[in-house]
Amino acid sequence: MQRHEQEAGANLRRWHDKPVLQKIYREFHQLIARQLADVPGDVVEIGSGIGNIREVIPQCIRTDLYASAGVDQVENAYQLSFADASVSNLILFDVFHHLRYPGEALHEFARVLAPGGRVIVFEPCVSLLGLVVYGPLHPEPLALRRPITWSAPANWNAADAGYYAAQGNASRIFLGHAYANELKSWRRIRCTRLAALSYVASGGYSGPQLYPDALYPVIRALDRILNPLPWIFATRLLAVMEKADASSGQRD
């Protein structure tokens, strides 16, 4: 809890000290906003951190594992307090790779989502550049050779999930067809890979900014040039999955 508060405080200070970071996240959140399903229900973000998504999606309910100034309510992704079919959209920004048992979380997401509701995931992306950015240059592991444990063991307690990180999981699960059977109760609406060099070179919340604010439009233009070569330059993945029907939350 104390570590979480310290990290949130540090991130908030960096947010105010880095105007370019605010521009980048605003564009990311605008991209996410364009994916929202137009169905009845709440828009909910899981793992909101400092809660800056509200600047673009003002109706969004911000949640996290711990209470903070940027959070509206405390939620566990594996045991959400929302009623069945009461949520229109669930947004996970740099959260999916912290889910040790993604199948358990997706099952819970299907429970709370209304028919036609969406899970919108924004994550690190594995490419040649992504291997460098999220490999030796990042403290969290890519874990590309580590097996993904889809479902939790029978005696598992969601409240004791513990820390987990595998930055490559979203690319492994949502790109290609390796996990098509596990995702058969979802419709894949969109999987978009982005170069996002403007974000990488900004240093994010933890690293130094490698270009002056005035060059941001130039770096963004470079992003657009490199986006058509995702297997080389993509560092970000946007995956949008839609609940197919009212039975999607049922286990086989």
Side-chain angles (χ1 to χ4, degrees):
M1 177 65 173
Q2 185 177 6
R3 176 184 175 184
H4 178 84
E5 290 177 346
Q6 292 173 345
E7 290 179 352
N11 286 345
L12 188 59
R13 289 190 295 271
R14 294 185 189 108
W15 175 260
H16 291 303
D17 292 341
K18 279 189 173 183
V20 74
L21 192 63
Q22 298 175 32
K23 292 179 181 179
I24 291 166
Y25 270 79
R26 188 175 300 112
E27 291 191 7
F28 285 162
H29 288 147
Q30 288 169 345
L31 177 59
I32 289 170
R34 292 195 289 271
Q35 315 308 315
L36 296 176
D38 186 16
V39 299
D42 295 320
V43 177
V44 178
E45 183 181 35
I46 306 295
S48 296
I50 63 174
N52 48 32
I53 197 170
R54 275 274 185 87
E55 295 183 5
V56 175
I57 308 176
Q59 76 275 27
C60 185
I61 298 173
R62 302 165 300 177
T63 78
D64 214 321
L65 278 171
Y66 304 102
S68 71
V71 170
D72 300 306
Q73 59 194 61
V74 173
E75 294 285 347
N76 184 317
Y78 299 108
Q79 289 182 328
L80 298 172
S81 68
F82 299 94
D84 294 0
S86 65
V87 174
S88 62
N89 295 272
L90 283 167
I91 300 166
L92 289 80
F93 195 117
D94 281 342
V95 171
F96 190 85
H97 67 272
H98 290 298
L99 298 175
R100 185 184 300 273
Y101 307 114
E104 297 295 334
L106 287 170
H107 174 68
E108 179 69 350
F109 297 165
R111 179 189 68 80
V112 304
L113 281 174
R118 293 181 176 181
V119 174
I120 302 170
V121 171
F122 201 79
E123 280 285 303
C125 188
V126 177
S127 65
L128 291 180
L129 179 59
L131 288 172
V132 175
V133 172
Y134 300 113
L137 300 182
H138 200 284
E140 294 178 341
L142 274 166
L144 295 177
R145 297 185 179 181
R146 182 194 304 166
I148 295 174
T149 306
W150 193 256
S151 300
N155 60 348
W156 176 72
N157 185 342
D160 300 324
Y163 178 78
Y164 172 86
Q167 293 184 98
N169 279 8
S171 294
R172 295 168 68 187
I173 290 171
F174 297 115
L175 296 176
H177 302 285
Y179 287 83
N181 188 60
E182 287 83 354
L183 296 172
K184 64 184 178 182
S185 61
W186 298 88
R187 279 196 291 264
R188 188 178 308 196
I189 301 300
R190 181 174 184 178
C191 283
T192 301
R193 292 175 286 177
L194 306 168
L197 292 184
S198 53
Y199 170 76
V200 171
S202 77
Y205 284 107
S206 58
Q209 185 171 321
L210 302 181
Y211 61 90
D213 291 0
L215 282 183
Y216 176 68
V218 176
I219 307 299
R220 284 293 292 119
L222 182 60
D223 283 339
R224 289 188 284 273
I225 292 171
L226 298 179
N227 280 340
L229 299 170
W231 58 93
I232 300 175
F233 294 110
T235 66
R236 282 289 177 177
L237 170 66
L238 171 70
V240 183
M241 309 298 291
E242 185 173 280
K243 180 177 175 178
D245 52 48
S247 65
S248 294
Q250 301 300 317
R251 292 189 187 277
D252 298 324

